[in-house]
């Protein structure tokens, strides 16, 4: 066998590869670069502003929500000298306190119920939680904490105690 007489058969593949490289390696237009840069800058600015607003609302929320006043505490159990602590923040209310059994009999499975009331004394929201101990002997104290969503119309709160799935303590 001899050598091919025409060399263009061998020269075609490199020419095709060079043309393919030239078509892929086209420089990007400047306009597209600046449009992407502007879009990323706007997105970053929006995220920064949302972060600043969120953090400021987090720390300044205490000044926006008025404090709740204690309306009454009822039931056969009494509350020791320290008043319950109320934290109203980030759309929630947390009422923490201590309960002392002022009756002559032990109390089993007690539940603390907090009623949020508007200026007219109407209940706008209620929440409850079990007290810390299952059985509270006469003269013994136990802690409770009731967490619930806040109601902006609430101006006062009331605490009452009841047996689990039962009636209020009298």
């Amino acid at each position: 066998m001899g050598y091919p007489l025409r060399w263009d058969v061998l020269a075609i593949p490199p020419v095709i590869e060079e043309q393919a490289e030239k078509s892929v390696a086209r420089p990007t237009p400047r306009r597209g670069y600046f449009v992407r840069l502007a879009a990323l800058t706007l997105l970053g600015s929006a995220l920064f502003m949302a972060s600043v607003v969120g953090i400021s609302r987090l720390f300044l929320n205490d000044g926006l929500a008025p404090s709740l006043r204690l309306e009454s505490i009822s039931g056969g159990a009494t509350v020791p000298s320290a008043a319950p602590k109320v934290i109203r923040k980030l759309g929630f209310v947390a009422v923490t306190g201590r309960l002392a059994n002022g009756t002559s009999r032990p109390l089993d499975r007690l539940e603390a119920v907090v009623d949020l009331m508007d200026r007219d004394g109407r209940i706008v929201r209620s929440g409850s939680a079990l007290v810390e101990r299952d059985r509270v002997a006469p003269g013994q104290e136990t802690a409770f904490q009731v967490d619930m969503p806040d109601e902006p119309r609430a101006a006062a709160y009331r605490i009452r105690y009841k047996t689990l799935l039962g009636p209020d303590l009298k």
Side-chain angles (χ1 to χ4, degrees):
M1 292 205 87
Y3 293 106
L5 297 174
R6 297 182 62 180
W7 287 93
D8 44 327
V9 173
L10 297 174
I12 289 176
V15 171
I16 291 174
E17 289 177 10
E18 287 177 18
Q19 288 176 353
E21 288 176 12
K22 286 181 182 177
S23 65
V24 170
R26 207 179 302 165
T28 59
R30 288 186 180 179
R31 183 173 186 260
Y33 171 76
F34 287 115
V35 167
R36 284 191 295 267
L37 181 66
L40 287 174
T41 303
L42 285 173
L43 179 65
S45 299
L47 286 174
F48 177 73
M49 291 302 294
S51 299
V52 167
V53 168
I55 289 171
S56 65
R57 290 208 40 151
L58 177 69
F59 289 111
L60 298 177
N61 192 29
D62 289 333
L64 298 177
S67 61
L68 296 171
R69 73 178 188 282
L70 178 60
E71 189 71 26
S72 67
I73 298 174
S74 61
T78 60
V79 175
S81 59
K85 181 179 178 186
V86 178
I87 298 174
R88 193 174 192 184
K89 191 172 189 178
L90 299 174
F92 287 90
V93 175
V95 179
T96 307
R98 295 197 60 81
L99 161 98
N101 184 355
T103 65
S104 60
R105 60 182 167 74
L107 299 172
D108 294 324
R109 291 182 255 146
L110 290 178
E111 190 175 3
V113 180
V114 175
D115 297 322
L116 296 179
M117 300 179 301
D118 63 5
R119 293 181 191 269
D120 299 329
R122 291 185 300 247
I123 297 174
V124 292
R125 186 170 305 241
S126 291
S128 66
L130 292 173
V131 298
E132 197 171 82
R133 297 178 184 232
D134 285 339
R135 173 171 245 177
V136 184
Q140 191 176 34
E141 291 184 7
T142 185
F144 68 89
Q145 179 172 343
V146 178
D147 298 314
M148 67 177 135
D150 194 4
E151 177 61 46
R153 297 177 292 155
Y157 69 101
R158 173 179 62 198
I159 300 174
R160 54 191 170 90
Y161 303 102
K162 65 182 221 165
T163 57
L164 183 63
L165 302 175
D168 286 357
L169 295 178
K170 301 289 180 197

